[in-house]
Every structure is written in structure tokens, then in C-alpha cells.
Amino acid sequence: MAFPAGFGWGASTAAYQVEGGWDADGKGPSVWDTFTHQGGERVFQNQTGDVACGSYTLWEEDLKCIKQLGLTHYRFSLSWSRLLPDGTTGFINQKGIDYYNKIIDDLLTNGVIPIVTLYHFDLPQALEDKGGWLSEAIIESFDKYARFCFSMFGDRVKQWITINEPNILAIMAYDLGVFPPGVPHFGTGGYQAAHNLIKAHARSWHSYDSFFRKEQKGMVSLGIFAGWAEPADTNSVSDQEAAKRAIAFCLDFFAKPIFIDGDYPEVVKSQIAFMSKKQGYPSSRLPKFTEEEKRMIKGTADFFAVQYYTSRLVKYQENKKEVGFLQDVELQVFPDPSWKRLDWVYVVPWGIRKLLKYIKDTYNNPVIYITENGFPQGDPASLDDTQRWEYFRQTFQELFKAMP
């Protein structure tokens, strides 16, 4: 395999997962700090990110790893509450600015391109207390935070991810309640949060476009999680339609409004309306964008950032009365028995090729960044990691096939 000149190789981290220093140097609490400190059955072995990988104090060691790997790109996220402890620009933490300035400057000095994520699930607790992503007020709060970051770091950062995996956040945090704030709103909360996440992303893209792009000449997008959905029975029309719905609810739910026309996919709107009526709701549980909002949302991404780990087989399964985001899709997902399993990740390398082909065909052949990929490991991780390099070898083979 010979990848073309200019092909990027990177690694990705997230602030809460690696930084530690949860209350160091003026940092405010995030929803993950609050959630894990509460402990209980929702938190695995009552573990927290208080220390994590200790990157807040051990950044130089991380940099050595980045250089040793020969990476061309490094993606990391900013801790909103490290920069703005209460989530607003009324209280700016200079120590947080200094920390991220050092990371950015060190990367550039060593020839590594920073890709910076504004928000990776760790909402300042002060904003969650005001309603979080269920409140429309979060849109303006996020835009002000984005403008602050663009102004602080945009002279050197040229590739931005506004929001990491908004589809996962909406489902896990505000529908199922598995992520903080930990309060389920089955069938309603996920859609309301998704609605606000899309509008917040679009607002911040316009802010960059209007006030920063001309001078900084950067690019802005958002990172969407997507697995490939394959019909369990390729001869079954109902399974084929279920697989299409799976992709529409996961990927297209966010990508179509942003890349195509400012609105949700028709199959998503019709399916949720159908299920809502079936369950006795007076109207669809999915909020609607106004015509003005559609115009504001359309075209608010400069590249396509996708995050792929695995795939599933999909089979149609009627849902008669259960209310929830996942139940609305009316399907059953499961792996092929022959697929190797690594925790929740089943090794399906050809899935990434099919996904990339779908994105190319559906979204007018955009520039694509795969901003996450890999598989989970136990703690402590084994150095005899033949499964890891075999996973990547097979994935790279499929990427190579997908390239023109």
C-alpha cells in the first residue's frame, strides 16, 4: 500500500479522558466531574477523570509519543470549563489559555498540525444547571465560547471541530440518560438536544465565517459518529429499509441538514411522526426547523469529519408502543457470528469503505477526515497487541481500496 503524498496520519484525544487536573489552576467543574463524583452503579468501579492520563501536567511526555509515532496531525479537545469556569466569558481562566497555547505552539514547532475540538461532551456544570443542551439558551452560550476560542487560538489553529459526536451525546445523555447529566427523557430529550446541537454548530460556523475566516483562513466542521449498517437479509426489503433508516438516524440526521438543505432526512421525519401518532402524541416528537433556521444551517461545514469504529447487521423489528430514540428506528442490530470482537467493537474493516463510499455519493464528494478510529483495550493494556495492528492493517487496506 502506498498512500499518496499529503495523506494525514493522526491521533485523537479528549480533554476529560486524558487531562486530569479536574480542579487545578482555576478550572471549573464539568458535568462529567459532577457525574463521576456522585458514583454509584452508573459509574464503572466509581472511577473518575480526576487524574486520568495526567496530560495537564505531563504534556511533554505526550508530545514525545506524538513525535515518536511520526504523526502529521494531532486532534485534541478544549475543556470549556478550564477556559471559562462558569461557561461564560464573564470569568476567563488565563492558566487554561496558557495550557492550550503551549500544546498548540509545541505541535506547530514539531511540524504537527493541530485539529481542535471545541466541545467533547464535558459541558460546564454551571450551564447544565441552566438546562444544558435541552435549553435553547445553550446556542448563544456555545457561540460566545466558540468566538472566544477562535479569537484566542485561531491565529494558529486552522482546523476546527465544533462538537464531537452530537448524535452520541444526544442519545446517551438526553434520551437514555447514561451520560451526564444522567436524567433520561425517552423519545423527547434526545431530539431536543440534537436540535439545539445542530443550531449551535451552525451559529458558531457563521461566526467563524463572518468574523475570523478572512484573516485566519481556517476550516470548521463537526465530528459525526457513524457505523455501517448492513441488511441482515439482503433479499429482504424490510431489512434493506431498516438498514437505510439506521444510517439516516445515525449519520444523515446531522449531516443532511448541515451539508445538503438545512433539514432532517424525510425518512427520519416521517418515521418519528408515524411512531408519535402510533403512541398517541398529538404531533411529532421531533422539533421542526423554521425556514429561516434551515437557511442558517445549510452549508455550515468546510469538510466532512466522520468517526468510524465498527458495523452491525440490521433487521426490521416492529415497535408497537415503546418510546425512545432507538425504538423509533424499528430495527434490531447484531453482529455476524464470524466477526472478531474487541469489547463493543466488532472488527469489520470493509464497513469503513462502504461508509466512505456512501458519504462520497450522498454528500457531493467532500473532503473527508476520519477523526476517530480504533478499538478499546483493557486496563492495563497489553503490549502483545497483535489484534490492534491487525485491525489497523485491515482498515488501512480498505481505506486504500476506497481511494480513487
Side-chain angles (χ1 to χ4, degrees), residues 213-246:
R213 187 187 301 277
K214 183 177 180 181
E215 182 177 342
Q216 296 181 358
K217 298 179 174 58
M219 301 187 297
V220 179
S221 189
L222 79 172
I224 305 176
F225 171 90
W228 182 250
E230 189 77 3
D233 180 354
T234 55
N235 295 316
S236 166
V237 174
S238 60
D239 285 5
Q240 292 173 14
E241 293 302 313
K244 291 178 183 177
R245 285 198 303 277

Side-chain angles (χ1 to χ4, degrees), residues 24-280:
D25 296 333
K27 177 185 174 294
S30 76
V31 290
W32 274 102
D33 295 320
T34 302
F35 187 78
T36 56
H37 290 170
Q38 290 170 347
E41 61 182 18
R42 299 184 301 182
V43 180
F44 178 70
Q45 295 182 356
N46 286 325
Q47 294 182 2
T48 73
D50 291 3
V51 177
C53 303
S55 190
Y56 185 65
T57 55
L58 298 173
W59 160 245
E60 286 81 3
E61 298 302 312
D62 292 347
L63 183 61
K64 289 178 184 177
C65 293
I66 291 168
K67 292 166 65 176
Q68 183 181 25
L69 284 168
L71 301 181
T72 60
H73 295 69
Y74 179 65
R75 176 184 171 227
F76 65 97
S77 77
L78 306 175
S79 166
W80 189 340
S81 60
R82 190 178 298 285
L83 290 165
L84 309 177
D86 66 357
T88 76
T89 53
F91 178 18
I92 297 171
N93 182 19
Q94 184 61 44
K95 292 270 182 85
I97 296 173
D98 295 343
Y99 171 63
Y100 294 119
N101 272 333
K102 178 170 176 52
I103 291 177
I104 294 165
D105 291 343
D106 285 351
L107 289 171
L108 292 172
T109 298
N110 287 278
V112 180
I113 297 170
I115 299 180
V116 177
T117 303
L118 293 174
Y119 172 70
H120 194 125
F121 300 174
D122 49 348
L123 191 68
Q125 183 61 49
L127 295 182
E128 183 59 48
D129 292 342
K130 298 177 181 178
W133 288 105
L134 295 179
S135 168
E136 284 205 20
I138 195 68
I139 299 168
E140 183 174 356
S141 297
F142 183 79
D143 183 45
K144 289 181 177 178
Y145 166 61
R147 291 192 193 197
F148 168 80
C149 294
F150 296 150
S151 65
M152 288 292 108
F153 310 117
D155 58 328
R156 290 151 292 155
V157 175
K158 306 304 175 185
Q159 290 168 292
W160 295 94
I161 303 290
T162 55
I163 299 167
N164 177 77
E165 296 182 350
N167 45 355
I168 297 300
L169 177 70
I171 296 170
M172 300 297 281
Y174 293 98
D175 189 89
L176 300 177
V178 176
F179 286 2
V183 180
H185 303 271
F186 298 117
T188 57
Y191 296 136
Q192 184 60 55
H195 208 64
N196 290 332
L197 284 158
I198 290 171
K199 289 193 284 187
H201 159 79
R203 177 86 70 87
S204 63
W205 184 92
H206 281 289
S207 287
Y208 188 85
D209 197 52
S210 298
F211 305 114
F212 300 96
R213 187 187 301 277
K214 183 177 180 181
E215 182 177 342
Q216 296 181 358
K217 298 179 174 58
M219 301 187 297
V220 179
S221 189
L222 79 172
I224 305 176
F225 171 90
W228 182 250
E230 189 77 3
D233 180 354
T234 55
N235 295 316
S236 166
V237 174
S238 60
D239 285 5
Q240 292 173 14
E241 293 302 313
K244 291 178 183 177
R245 285 198 303 277
I247 295 170
F249 270 77
C250 181
L251 176 68
D252 301 333
F253 192 108
F254 287 85
K256 180 177 173 287
I258 289 164
F259 286 89
I260 302 295
D261 61 4
D263 200 10
Y264 297 116
E266 290 302 320
V267 67
V268 168
K269 293 192 292 184
S270 62
Q271 182 70 13
I272 298 171
F274 169 72
M275 294 303 298
S276 299
K277 183 176 180 181
K278 192 175 180 180
Q279 294 154 350

